[in-house]
Amino acid sequence: MIVQKYGGTSVGDVDRIRAVADRVASAREGGYDVCVVVSAMGDTTDDLTRMAHALTPVPQPRELDMLLTSGERIAMSLLAIAINAKGCKAASYTGSQAGIITTTEHGKAKIVDVRPGRIQEALAAGNVVIVAGFQGVSTSLDVTTLGRGGSDTTGVALAAALDAEFCEIFTDVDGVYTTDPRICPDARRLDSISYEEMLEMAASGAKVLQLRSVEYARRHGVRVHVRSSFTGEPGTWVQDEGTEGMEQALISGVALDDTEAKITIEEVPDRPGVAANIFKAVADESINVDMIVQNVSHSGTTDMSFTAPRADLSKLEDVLDRIVKEIGAARFVVDGGIAKISLIGAGMKSHPGVAADMFQVLAAEQVNIEMISTSSIRISCVIRSDDAERAVRAVHDHFELGEGAVERGAAV
Ligand code: ADP
Ligand code: ASP
Ligand code: MG
């Protein structure tokens, strides 16, 4: 039993869908039971989102989810048609039909249960089963979506529920690289990466896997194989750190996140409970806050900055209009021109000086650091978005992560 997930580019047009049908049919002929998860074709999700926003700045969340789930339904039914046309039995199911039960937060629902009875019956009847990714049905019976990139999570969740040998994520790159190969052509493909490092990479903006899918895979022990849907070559295994043959690099990669904005609340009264007030109000709107920096107070007030997804800005501005008045702060300002660069590596735990090195590289590039946050295996800096790609290439180069460095004999 295997689960294969195909991303948007991989099912981007009818010819590509036919190529996916060939690949699925050959896995089936190879003796596997196959469950396939598909994303919407090409830019469908973006196009649908744009249409909704052309009608109103903040579309009603329930209706937006109803709209967006249609993208995956198109892809799943076309793929089922293509596979059937090859003489191989296939049947497609929506997330709801596949038993993907979620929380009720539209646009970023979490999977709480998978009840794969119907899928198992269809598999037992000899079908290849195609499931629409990125969607489920909430505990209050509404259709929900799992957040951008959510088909990865559908794939991993089904792999866990069906007790699959592994989950293959077929995408438009041939694995997980030391950094986004579109930014840094010298980036090197990793043969394997630990769940912990992949979690930090995904949380830091490497969109090759949705963060939730990596959390789910780690929790349920699902091995994930990220590979190209175009070549058939082996890609990158995401698995336990201790697995035999794993790479043991000091640094595994550099990630860039250009989807967030920086918000600064100015002249916040310096008294207990203020931070709790602000971030409770923000959390109540299901907005994820990332970095938070509070300056030292000299005059009874202080400035507080944090980052949050740009996609949530209209909601956030409504909350902040209210909360700034409630707590007696002066005002808030939004800065959409930032990006976050992160350096990730399990070896950092035992190697002091990595952060200092990274700051020095940025300084040499004349890149100003506006915020810093760290975990035991990650260092992140908020910088100007105009500097971001140059910064990624400089940091990647300095830590000798690329193909070129390996050829020169650098220790990796
Ligand atoms: P799919 O549509 O198949 O889900 P995505 O666009 O979501 O594909 O993810 C694949 C993309 O992730 C790649 O095209 C690449 O530009 C980007 N990416 C970012 N960081 C990395 C990385 N470290 N390794 C590989 N790809 C990365
Ligand atoms: N179609 C959705 C998106 O574009 C889900 C996915 O591709 O994983 O985000
Ligand atoms: Mg994706």
Side-chain angles (χ1 to χ4, degrees):
M1 167 79 223
I2 54 171
V3 173
Q4 300 189 326
K5 176 260 170 178
Y6 291 89
T9 315
S10 312
V11 292
D13 57 34
V14 170
D15 287 334
R16 287 194 169 157
I17 288 181
R18 201 178 286 119
V20 169
D22 288 343
R23 190 182 287 281
V24 171
S26 59
R28 182 85 190 96
E29 279 151 24
Y32 279 109
D33 275 348
V34 191
C35 173
V36 181
V37 173
V38 283
S39 292
M41 295 169 71
D43 296 329
T44 305
T45 309
D46 288 331
D47 295 343
L48 294 172
T49 307
R50 217 173 292 121
M51 278 195 266
H53 282 98
L55 296 169
T56 173
V58 187
Q60 219 254 315
R62 179 185 185 277
E63 301 311 323
L64 188 60
D65 269 1
M66 197 58 106
L67 176 70
L68 295 185
T69 53
S70 67
E72 269 68 13
R73 291 175 69 141
I74 295 173
M76 74 173 193
S77 41
L78 285 174
L79 181 59
I81 289 168
I83 296 174
N84 277 313
K86 290 181 60 64
C88 178
K89 268 175 42 171
S92 64
Y93 297 87
T94 64
S96 161
Q97 289 176 314
I100 311 279
I101 316 295
T102 75
T103 56
T104 54
E105 303 141 281
H106 284 291
K108 50 178 95 160
K110 292 196 186 80
I111 297 177
V112 291
D113 195 11
V114 180
R115 298 177 192 155
R118 197 148 175 213
I119 301 294
Q120 281 161 329
E121 276 167 31
L123 286 168
N127 287 289
V128 168
V129 166
I130 322 285
V131 177
F134 169 62
Q135 56 182 274
V137 60
S138 75
T139 45
S140 54
L141 303 183
D142 275 314
V143 167
T144 49
T145 62
L146 307 178
R148 297 308 303 262
S151 300
D152 298 332
T153 305
T154 308
V156 171
L158 281 170
L162 296 169
D163 205 16
E165 272 174 56
F166 47 80
C167 178
E168 292 182 299
I169 304 281
F170 286 97
T171 181
D172 56 4
V173 275
D174 52 8
V176 179
Y177 277 71
T178 47
T179 194
D180 189 339
R182 287 177 213 280
I183 296 176
C184 191
D186 186 42
R188 186 172 62 88
R189 187 181 59 75
L190 302 168
D191 289 330
S192 59
I193 185 169
S194 68
Y195 291 123
E196 283 67 27
E197 288 167 308
M198 193 63 233
L199 272 177
E200 294 281 7
M201 292 271 273
S204 307
K207 67 168 181 167
V208 61
L209 286 176
Q210 195 199 31
L211 174 59
R212 292 254 183 84
S213 72
V214 189
E215 289 169 351
Y216 209 103
R218 179 173 65 165
R219 192 161 359 107
H220 296 266
V222 177
R223 295 170 70 221
V224 176
H225 187 190
V226 181
R227 54 194 303 200
S228 163
S229 61
F230 307 126
T231 67
E233 294 294 311
T236 303
W237 284 95
V238 185
Q239 54 197 8
D240 263 332
E241 199 172 4
T243 311
E244 213 177 304
M246 290 281 285
E247 296 189 33
Q248 297 290 343
L250 168 62
I251 306 292
S252 50
V254 183
L256 177 64
D257 188 342
D258 57 4
T259 63
E260 295 190 334
K262 181 171 88 171
I263 297 93
T264 303
I265 309 181
E266 295 178 353
E267 297 174 39
V268 177
D270 197 12
R271 56 163 197 267
V274 167
N277 282 351
I278 297 171
F279 294 109
K280 173 79 172 57
V282 173
D284 284 346
E285 292 295 319
S286 313
I287 299 170
N288 283 325
V289 168
D290 182 18
M291 290 188 190
I292 302 176
V293 172
Q294 182 182 342
N295 292 325
V296 180
S297 154
H298 291 296
S299 54
T301 65
T302 178
D303 289 353
M304 196 181 278
S305 296
F306 61 94
T307 60
R310 279 210 294 274
D312 287 334
L313 272 182
S314 344
K315 258 198 316 188
L316 185 59
E317 282 169 350
D318 288 347
V319 178
L320 291 178
D321 276 335
R322 174 167 57 80
I323 209 80
V324 159
K325 288 196 199 92
E326 270 175 36
I327 61 174
R331 67 191 78 79
F332 70 91
V333 286
V334 173
D335 178 353
I338 59 143
K340 183 177 72 176
I341 173 174
S342 304
L343 185 64
I344 292 119
M348 266 180 217
K349 278 186 238 171
S350 47
H351 277 76
V354 175
D357 256 21
M358 177 174 175
F359 302 154
Q360 232 158 25
V361 177
L362 295 177
E365 286 289 317
Q366 304 286 319
V367 172
N368 190 41
I369 302 174
E370 301 182 19
M371 296 166 102
I372 298 169
S373 83
T374 60
S375 81
S376 63
I377 65 167
R378 173 185 52 81
I379 304 153
S380 301
C381 300
V382 167
I383 59 177
R384 287 289 97 202
S385 56
D386 291 343
D387 293 332
E389 299 200 351
R390 190 162 49 89
V392 167
R393 286 189 285 268
V395 171
H396 188 265
D397 199 45
H398 174 84
F399 287 95
E400 304 191 313
L401 298 173
E403 287 292 356
V406 174
E407 277 155 26
R408 288 194 304 273
V412 290

